Amino acid sequence: MPVFPEEPEIHESLPGPGVPFPRESDAQAPRTPASGSATPATPSTVTAAPAPVPGQRPAPGRSAPPGAERPGPKPRPAGIPKPGPRRPAPAAPQAAVQQLTATAAQALDRADEAVDRLLESGRDPGTVLVLTVGEPHPWQRHELSFGEERYWAQLAEGGDVFYADAALTRPARREVVVLVVNGGPADRAAKAFTEARGRAAELLVVCGNAGPAAAAAAAAASRPVTA
């Protein structure tokens, strides 16, 4: 019967000096990752960001120039004074009055003489207006013979002496007005005087009797016809 050689007995190696003997609990305890260690990331699908589209670059902001100062606060407007009581506009000075004594029959001749003296003194014909209380002046009849349109055009043009009735309703104002009292009732003459004075800018010449108001105004003015 064959005899097999006896296997050598294997002994566990003893730990070297300074090495502790292994404990049974160490061999059985499962290994756990240390706290704070990085956990391996689970691979996931990552979407790549789209590439930026090239375009114009934004202009860099400009800083304020050195030494520039911010504007200070705007000055407050001064207090607006409260409006006081309104004063009435000064009345326009009234024209001086010159009265020439004449009867109703003489009034036209005295008016023509007055107009001649005014023109000889240098007055422009377009600054003179002649108004009659009674019958129309012969020059008025002559101008009306060419038609009313042409007649009233002369008033607007202001190039010559204009003759009209004292009851003129159209606006007419000239430097000198000659009022001819050649007839009509006394109240019409007085009213004509008031209206004629409003049309005269400098001088009103009254030929004849236009009532007490005209006489008083002439006495207060005591201004002769410009010669």
Side-chain angles (χ1 to χ4, degrees), residues 22-182:
R23 293 178 295 179
E24 184 179 358
S25 61
D26 292 340
Q28 297 177 356
R31 295 184 179 180
T32 58
S35 61
S37 60
T39 305
T42 303
S44 60
T45 304
V46 179
T47 305
V53 179
Q56 296 181 353
R57 296 183 179 180
R62 296 184 179 179
S63 58
E69 299 180 357
R70 296 182 178 178
K74 295 182 180 179
R76 295 182 178 179
I80 301 176
K82 296 181 179 180
R86 293 184 177 180
R87 297 181 179 180
Q94 287 188 327
V97 178
Q98 170 71 32
Q99 186 168 17
L100 302 178
T101 304
T103 62
Q106 300 171 339
L108 283 176
D109 293 337
R110 297 300 305 270
D112 291 341
E113 294 173 0
V115 171
D116 291 340
R117 287 194 298 268
L118 289 168
L119 299 180
E120 290 173 359
S121 67
R123 289 277 184 178
D124 188 273
T127 63
V128 180
L129 174 65
V130 179
L131 301 176
T132 54
V133 177
E135 294 292 328
H137 194 282
W139 274 109
Q140 180 183 356
R141 293 177 179 175
H142 175 73
E143 298 297 340
L144 282 172
S145 65
F146 297 100
E148 289 194 4
E149 183 177 355
R150 177 57 188 164
Y151 171 73
W152 292 115
Q154 290 186 353
L155 175 63
E157 293 170 359
D160 201 353
V161 179
F162 191 77
Y163 297 83
D165 190 273
L168 179 66
T169 57
R170 300 199 178 193
R173 181 176 173 84
R174 294 195 175 182
E175 294 180 7
V176 181
V177 175
V178 179
L179 179 62
V180 187
V181 187
N182 58 339

